[in-house]
Amino acid sequence: MRKTRLAVFASGSGSNYEAIVEACRDGRIDAEVVLLVCDKPGAKVLERAKRYGTESFAFTPKEFESREAYESVIADMLDEREVDFVCLAGYMRIVGKVLLSRYEQRIVNIHPSLLPSFKGAHAIQDAVDYGVKIFGVTTHFVDETLDGGRIIDQGAIVYEGSDIEELTNLIHNIEHKLYVKTINKLISNKL
Ligand code: GRF
């Protein structure tokens, strides 16, 4: 039987990309990652993709006329590879109309806060600055708003320390498990 085909979009380190690929490899997710899309040509995630043998597409948004222009190229690549679902994993861009319309309800994201609190690029630091004690992670469908869209899963942790690095690692560990859970729901049509 044909395996579900995933694409991962990432801009940074790629620990979530790696967690997804590992889960596909050891059977915790019955799917395969067929494409990594990255908008930062020097990002560490590209090294990880090379190591795992995932085809990657690295692009520089500024070299395109518009978001529509680069999203059309990406959407064509997804179609050609018969991608079923797109998992954003630290992709630091708003997804626009082109991808959203062609992959409606098939694009999900993971964010390191209990949404709708602390949207944006500095969610963990913002939560710490606010004095939060219960931290968390959210997976959600993607729409055209920053970290918006219907929530799928959440995980939480109580942390009262002051070591942001330790907290970030704890949150990443939750992310890696939560994304596997969400992708399994997604590919088995349980959403
Ligand atoms: C994660 O915290 C994710 O929730 C956020 O960006 C970070 C990416 O980390 N959207 P990594 O590149 O997967 O290690």
Side-chain angles (χ1 to χ4, degrees), residues 5-166:
R5 297 166 74 79
L6 308 175
V8 175
F9 288 20
S11 309
S13 147
S15 71
N16 280 283
Y17 153 79
E18 185 162 325
I20 294 167
V21 174
E22 282 285 351
C24 289
R25 286 194 164 191
D26 67 23
R28 280 174 294 133
I29 297 176
D30 188 16
E32 56 187 325
V33 178
V34 297
L35 184 66
L36 172 83
V37 173
C38 177
D39 64 329
K40 296 249 162 48
K44 188 173 165 197
V45 66
L46 291 164
E47 288 165 32
R48 296 197 205 237
K50 203 167 171 192
R51 205 167 351 111
Y52 281 94
T54 304
E55 180 189 5
S56 60
F57 173 60
F59 71 103
T60 305
K62 277 190 195 148
E63 288 173 3
F64 290 80
E65 237 173 52
S66 60
R67 180 188 291 153
E68 286 72 24
Y70 68 71
E71 285 200 348
S72 296
V73 172
I74 294 169
D76 287 346
M77 291 186 80
L78 299 177
D79 287 350
E80 280 160 20
R81 285 152 188 79
E82 299 180 357
V83 166
D84 300 295
F85 298 102
V86 172
C87 303
L88 308 187
Y91 180 64
M92 304 301 277
R93 297 198 160 262
I94 293 282
V95 177
K97 283 196 185 68
V98 171
L99 279 170
L100 286 173
S101 61
R102 284 171 64 172
Y103 279 79
E104 202 183 348
Q105 292 296 298
R106 293 194 290 152
I107 307 178
V108 294
N109 183 38
I110 189 157
H111 182 74
S113 79
L114 292 171
L115 289 173
S117 296
F118 306 113
K119 296 179 176 185
H122 311 289
I124 299 175
Q125 186 66 57
D126 291 347
V128 167
D129 292 347
Y130 212 87
V132 154
K133 301 291 177 264
I134 302 173
F135 295 84
V137 173
T138 304
T139 54
H140 62 93
F141 285 105
V142 171
D143 65 17
E144 234 178 317
T145 62
L146 177 69
D147 299 320
R150 184 161 69 87
I151 288 172
I152 302 170
D153 287 306
Q154 291 189 309
I157 175 186
V158 175
Y159 184 79
E160 300 196 48
S162 56
D163 183 342
I164 184 102
E165 204 179 311
E166 179 184 51

